[in-house]
Amino acid sequence: MRVGVLTGGGDCPGLNAVIRAVVRKGVHTHDFEFVGYRDGWKGPLEGLTMPLGIEQCRGILPRGGTILGSSRTNPFKLDDGVEQIRANLEKDGVEALVAIGGEDTLGVATKLADLGVSVVGVPKTIDNDLSGTDFTFGFDTAVNIATEAIDRLHTTAESHHRVLVVEVMGRHAGWIALHSGIAGGASMVLIPEQPFDIEEVCAHVETRFKSQYAPIVVVSEGAVPREAEGGSDVTLLNSELDAFGHVRLGGIGDRLAGEIERRTGKEARAVVLGHIQRGGTPTAFDRWLATRFGLQAADAVADGEFGTMMALRGTDIVRLPLSEGTAELKLVSEREYAEAQVFFG
Ligand code: F6P
């Protein structure tokens, strides 16, 4: 069987580990041949392919990014997008697709599977916001990068008696902020799920200055002040929407630092970690998870279990209907946030 592989959406550490595992298992165990589709759904849509075999996968396990390239192309934005994909798959002799992506890429896979395209999905995102799986790969790497940054910021904040505000990614989910904030011993963690009170943030900043420590406030890019509850005041880099209708978040760190400085009189600076969280080598955990997802995806294709998504449940990799895996966003609960709140101030 000829199998196409694509990676879509924002890149994330571990994508190459999945590709490698799908190809190794597919070639060795199932006698598959592979076609690499470039740049997410743009590949099958426009017929952009590259050779993909064991040779192309040598040495890629520890490499960040994706050898296939990625994009946020949405074929359902075009009237004949599905027909174009079908025509290109037929032209390339591809009978099945492995789509590696987050909510948007797997959302397209779900719709295509409903229309009879043979596709299996592998969940990825540094945001860890897919409800069907305990963890997505890429998340652990992003958390480790953010934690190291927080560790480093502690010492310089203390030397200069400054407040340092660290803005992390995560879109509408606060997982990266929560995990790195707890691991890095932040004075406060602000997440999109729980609108924050600026007075309370400033009170915690003042308390922290009473000790030898300087405050580190970790803020998720989608966090909003309480007076703007409902998300209307979410801070945007610009108001343009991508092909999946998403705005670009960012800027809350600077805004918050300015407000803290104005209200407390303490110098406050913002550090935006941005794409550093997505770049570079995956952690051992992400390599392990991505590899196991890849092995299972190759088996799912061999078993003809199309319309499924690989998921981590405990320590097992299971297959779920794609529609179930992407049905809702997994958000930080009040209970989980309360664990971090013990350390605020
Ligand atoms: O979904 C992953 C993610 O990194 C989000 O955390 C972030 O909001 C978004 O992608 C940024 O996307 P882009 O790189 O396209 O601006």
Side-chain angles (χ1 to χ4, degrees), residues 10-11 72 124-127 169-171 176 221 248-249 275 278:
D11 71 339
R72 295 196 189 273
K124 72 86 222 180
T125 166
I126 63 164
D127 302 341
M169 282 186 168
R171 227 197 275 274
I176 298 175
E221 61 183 357
R248 275 181 72 196
L249 300 173
H275 293 88
R278 281 199 346 218

mmCIF file of all heavy atoms in Angstrom, residues 10-11 72 124-127 169-171 176 221 248-249 275 278, ligand 1:
data_model
loop_
_atom_site.group_PDB
_atom_site.id
_atom_site.type_symbol
_atom_site.label_atom_id
_atom_site.label_comp_id
_atom_site.label_asym_id
_atom_site.label_seq_id
_atom_site.Cartn_x
_atom_site.Cartn_y
_atom_site.Cartn_z
ATOM 1 N N GLY A 10 0.822 24.688 13.446
ATOM 2 C CA GLY A 10 2.090 25.163 14.001
ATOM 3 C C GLY A 10 3.017 23.985 14.233
ATOM 4 O O GLY A 10 2.568 22.931 14.678
ATOM 5 N N ASP A 11 4.289 24.131 13.910
ATOM 6 C CA ASP A 11 5.195 22.983 14.105
ATOM 7 C C ASP A 11 5.388 22.732 15.604
ATOM 8 O O ASP A 11 4.976 23.548 16.428
ATOM 9 C CB ASP A 11 6.549 23.211 13.404
ATOM 10 C CG ASP A 11 7.386 24.264 14.098
ATOM 11 O OD1 ASP A 11 6.830 25.084 14.846
ATOM 12 O OD2 ASP A 11 8.609 24.275 13.894
ATOM 13 N N ARG A 72 -0.908 26.308 7.647
ATOM 14 C CA ARG A 72 -2.259 26.309 8.231
ATOM 15 C C ARG A 72 -3.313 26.317 7.123
ATOM 16 O O ARG A 72 -4.400 26.858 7.285
ATOM 17 C CB ARG A 72 -2.423 27.515 9.156
ATOM 18 C CG ARG A 72 -1.507 27.478 10.389
ATOM 19 C CD ARG A 72 -1.963 28.461 11.451
ATOM 20 N NE ARG A 72 -1.017 28.605 12.552
ATOM 21 C CZ ARG A 72 -0.999 27.824 13.623
ATOM 22 N NH1 ARG A 72 -1.831 26.820 13.725
ATOM 23 N NH2 ARG A 72 -0.123 28.042 14.594
ATOM 24 N N LYS A 124 -0.808 16.445 17.740
ATOM 25 C CA LYS A 124 0.376 17.215 18.174
ATOM 26 C C LYS A 124 -0.042 18.621 18.537
ATOM 27 O O LYS A 124 -0.981 19.157 17.939
ATOM 28 C CB LYS A 124 1.451 17.262 17.094
ATOM 29 C CG LYS A 124 1.159 18.131 15.874
ATOM 30 C CD LYS A 124 1.526 19.570 15.996
ATOM 31 C CE LYS A 124 0.421 20.421 15.398
ATOM 32 N NZ LYS A 124 0.586 21.825 15.418
ATOM 33 N N THR A 125 0.528 19.185 19.503
ATOM 34 C CA THR A 125 0.481 20.622 19.766
ATOM 35 C C THR A 125 1.223 20.887 21.066
ATOM 36 O O THR A 125 1.101 20.122 22.029
ATOM 37 C CB THR A 125 -0.948 21.202 19.888
ATOM 38 O OG1 THR A 125 -0.850 22.513 20.455
ATOM 39 C CG2 THR A 125 -1.879 20.384 20.749
ATOM 40 N N ILE A 126 1.974 21.988 21.075
ATOM 41 C CA ILE A 126 2.634 22.350 22.333
ATOM 42 C C ILE A 126 1.586 22.785 23.362
ATOM 43 O O ILE A 126 1.852 22.790 24.542
ATOM 44 C CB ILE A 126 3.693 23.473 22.161
ATOM 45 C CG1 ILE A 126 3.049 24.776 21.672
ATOM 46 C CG2 ILE A 126 4.823 23.024 21.256
ATOM 47 C CD1 ILE A 126 3.952 25.993 21.851
ATOM 48 N N ASP A 127 0.380 23.142 22.899
ATOM 49 C CA ASP A 127 -0.644 23.689 23.809
ATOM 50 C C ASP A 127 -1.283 22.624 24.706
ATOM 51 O O ASP A 127 -1.904 22.960 25.708
ATOM 52 C CB ASP A 127 -1.762 24.372 23.016
ATOM 53 C CG ASP A 127 -1.258 25.500 22.123
ATOM 54 O OD1 ASP A 127 -0.151 25.987 22.373
ATOM 55 O OD2 ASP A 127 -1.979 25.860 21.171
ATOM 56 N N MET A 169 3.149 30.719 25.365
ATOM 57 C CA MET A 169 2.107 30.376 24.396
ATOM 58 C C MET A 169 1.031 29.493 25.045
ATOM 59 O O MET A 169 1.081 29.220 26.244
ATOM 60 C CB MET A 169 2.722 29.659 23.201
ATOM 61 C CG MET A 169 3.399 30.580 22.225
ATOM 62 S SD MET A 169 3.925 29.631 20.771
ATOM 63 C CE MET A 169 4.347 30.958 19.644
ATOM 64 N N GLY A 170 0.108 29.020 24.222
ATOM 65 C CA GLY A 170 -0.941 28.129 24.720
ATOM 66 C C GLY A 170 -2.310 28.442 24.157
ATOM 67 O O GLY A 170 -3.274 27.733 24.414
ATOM 68 N N ARG A 171 -2.395 29.552 23.447
ATOM 69 C CA ARG A 171 -3.669 30.002 22.873
ATOM 70 C C ARG A 171 -4.733 30.120 23.964
ATOM 71 O O ARG A 171 -4.527 30.854 24.906
ATOM 72 C CB ARG A 171 -4.110 29.072 21.750
ATOM 73 C CG ARG A 171 -4.551 29.915 20.538
ATOM 74 C CD ARG A 171 -5.353 29.138 19.574
ATOM 75 N NE ARG A 171 -4.574 28.394 18.620
ATOM 76 C CZ ARG A 171 -4.110 28.864 17.464
ATOM 77 N NH1 ARG A 171 -4.264 30.121 17.138
ATOM 78 N NH2 ARG A 171 -3.469 28.067 16.633
ATOM 79 N N ILE A 176 0.700 25.367 29.407
ATOM 80 C CA ILE A 176 2.147 25.665 29.425
ATOM 81 C C ILE A 176 2.452 26.598 30.594
ATOM 82 O O ILE A 176 3.415 26.388 31.348
ATOM 83 C CB ILE A 176 2.613 26.298 28.092
ATOM 84 C CG1 ILE A 176 2.390 25.332 26.923
ATOM 85 C CG2 ILE A 176 4.087 26.710 28.170
ATOM 86 C CD1 ILE A 176 2.722 25.926 25.547
ATOM 87 N N GLU A 221 -0.542 33.688 26.899
ATOM 88 C CA GLU A 221 -0.858 34.708 25.881
ATOM 89 C C GLU A 221 -2.357 35.015 25.769
ATOM 90 O O GLU A 221 -2.736 36.100 25.322
ATOM 91 C CB GLU A 221 -0.322 34.268 24.515
ATOM 92 C CG GLU A 221 -0.932 32.957 24.018
ATOM 93 C CD GLU A 221 -0.362 32.473 22.703
ATOM 94 O OE1 GLU A 221 0.474 33.150 22.087
ATOM 95 O OE2 GLU A 221 -0.777 31.374 22.261
ATOM 96 N N ARG A 248 -4.262 36.152 16.110
ATOM 97 C CA ARG A 248 -2.905 35.988 16.672
ATOM 98 C C ARG A 248 -2.853 36.661 18.028
ATOM 99 O O ARG A 248 -2.998 37.880 18.135
ATOM 100 C CB ARG A 248 -1.863 36.594 15.736
ATOM 101 C CG ARG A 248 -1.435 35.633 14.653
ATOM 102 C CD ARG A 248 -0.390 36.260 13.773
ATOM 103 N NE ARG A 248 0.887 36.387 14.449
ATOM 104 C CZ ARG A 248 1.866 37.179 14.009
ATOM 105 N NH1 ARG A 248 1.708 37.899 12.937
ATOM 106 N NH2 ARG A 248 3.011 37.228 14.656
ATOM 107 N N LEU A 249 -2.651 35.847 19.050
ATOM 108 C CA LEU A 249 -2.598 36.375 20.412
ATOM 109 C C LEU A 249 -1.186 36.872 20.716
ATOM 110 O O LEU A 249 -0.220 36.426 20.105
ATOM 111 C CB LEU A 249 -2.969 35.275 21.409
ATOM 112 C CG LEU A 249 -4.361 34.661 21.252
ATOM 113 C CD1 LEU A 249 -4.524 33.492 22.189
ATOM 114 C CD2 LEU A 249 -5.420 35.711 21.504
ATOM 115 N N HIS A 275 8.232 31.734 19.818
ATOM 116 C CA HIS A 275 8.506 30.491 19.079
ATOM 117 C C HIS A 275 9.706 29.705 19.603
ATOM 118 O O HIS A 275 9.920 28.565 19.168
ATOM 119 C CB HIS A 275 8.670 30.796 17.583
ATOM 120 C CG HIS A 275 7.380 31.255 16.966
ATOM 121 N ND1 HIS A 275 7.001 32.578 16.954
ATOM 122 C CD2 HIS A 275 6.366 30.556 16.406
ATOM 123 C CE1 HIS A 275 5.812 32.690 16.385
ATOM 124 N NE2 HIS A 275 5.400 31.479 16.046
ATOM 125 N N ARG A 278 8.705 26.413 20.620
ATOM 126 C CA ARG A 278 8.353 25.410 19.610
ATOM 127 C C ARG A 278 9.557 24.877 18.858
ATOM 128 O O ARG A 278 9.437 23.907 18.105
ATOM 129 C CB ARG A 278 7.387 26.029 18.592
ATOM 130 C CG ARG A 278 6.014 26.084 19.093
ATOM 131 C CD ARG A 278 4.915 26.254 18.073
ATOM 132 N NE ARG A 278 5.212 26.654 16.747
ATOM 133 C CZ ARG A 278 4.439 27.493 16.035
ATOM 134 N NH1 ARG A 278 3.376 28.029 16.591
ATOM 135 N NH2 ARG A 278 4.728 27.769 14.785
HETATM 136 O O1 F6P B 1 -1.004 26.140 18.631
HETATM 137 C C1 F6P B 1 0.347 26.277 18.827
HETATM 138 C C2 F6P B 1 0.736 27.725 18.899
HETATM 139 O O2 F6P B 1 2.116 27.788 19.119
HETATM 140 C C3 F6P B 1 -0.026 28.559 19.946
HETATM 141 O O3 F6P B 1 0.456 28.363 21.237
HETATM 142 C C4 F6P B 1 0.161 29.953 19.416
HETATM 143 O O4 F6P B 1 -0.882 30.811 19.809
HETATM 144 C C5 F6P B 1 0.123 29.742 17.938
HETATM 145 O O5 F6P B 1 0.461 28.390 17.695
HETATM 146 C C6 F6P B 1 1.063 30.641 17.171
HETATM 147 O O6 F6P B 1 0.945 30.335 15.829
HETATM 148 P P1 F6P B 1 1.823 31.006 14.679
HETATM 149 O O7 F6P B 1 3.203 30.469 14.798
HETATM 150 O O8 F6P B 1 1.148 30.570 13.424
HETATM 151 O O9 F6P B 1 1.761 32.477 14.911
#
